[in-house]
Amino acid sequence: MKKEDILEKSRQSHKDEGLEFAENQGRKIGFLAFVLLFVFLAIFNLFFGETGTYHAISSLFWVFMAAEAYGKYRFVRSKAYLVTAIAGSIASILSVVNYILTTLR
């Protein structure tokens, strides 16, 4: 392929790599903020809160981790991501069940 052909395809793609990079950086920062907030809330609820609240935020955390790992597994096909996705799904389901049982008491 000639240089001009490659440049023309790039211009027609309407894909802004700078914007894509910024979005990925935003996701990484958002993920870190989510994990830090979860750790804070989990520790806080361990000492001062209700167990139901802990199970609710725990289920959100684990379903997020499972979805993140599954998305990575689909592209890289690493067994570690698959195991993480399965374990996160199980942990999320158990947390939801614990939340429901705690709330209904």
Side-chain angles (χ1 to χ4, degrees), residues 40-78:
F40 170 76
L41 290 173
I43 292 171
F44 183 83
N45 278 307
L46 183 66
F47 293 108
F48 303 109
E50 304 170 2
T51 57
T53 305
Y54 170 77
H55 295 305
I57 62 172
S58 181
S59 65
L60 292 172
F61 175 78
W62 288 116
V63 77
F64 181 79
M65 294 300 287
E68 180 85 12
Y70 179 71
K72 289 179 181 178
Y73 168 74
R74 287 185 54 196
F75 286 102
V76 236
R77 298 288 183 198
S78 168

Side-chain angles (χ1 to χ4, degrees), residues 3-55:
K3 180 180 174 182
E4 290 79 21
D5 294 338
I6 295 171
L7 287 173
E8 185 61 33
K9 281 188 177 185
S10 175
R11 288 185 195 112
Q12 291 176 355
S13 72
H14 300 294
K15 197 174 195 180
D16 187 352
E17 291 178 7
L19 180 60
E20 192 173 311
F21 177 78
E23 288 172 345
N24 287 334
Q25 289 300 105
R27 282 188 197 98
K28 288 178 184 178
I29 293 169
F31 177 76
L32 180 63
F34 180 77
V35 169
L36 290 174
L37 183 60
F38 167 75
V39 169
F40 170 76
L41 290 173
I43 292 171
F44 183 83
N45 278 307
L46 183 66
F47 293 108
F48 303 109
E50 304 170 2
T51 57
T53 305
Y54 170 77
H55 295 305

Side-chain angles (χ1 to χ4, degrees), residues 82-103:
L82 180 61
V83 169
T84 303
I86 292 169
S89 298
I90 292 169
S92 179
I93 291 167
L94 292 175
S95 293
V96 168
V97 168
N98 281 332
Y99 173 72
I100 291 169
L101 293 176
T102 304
T103 305

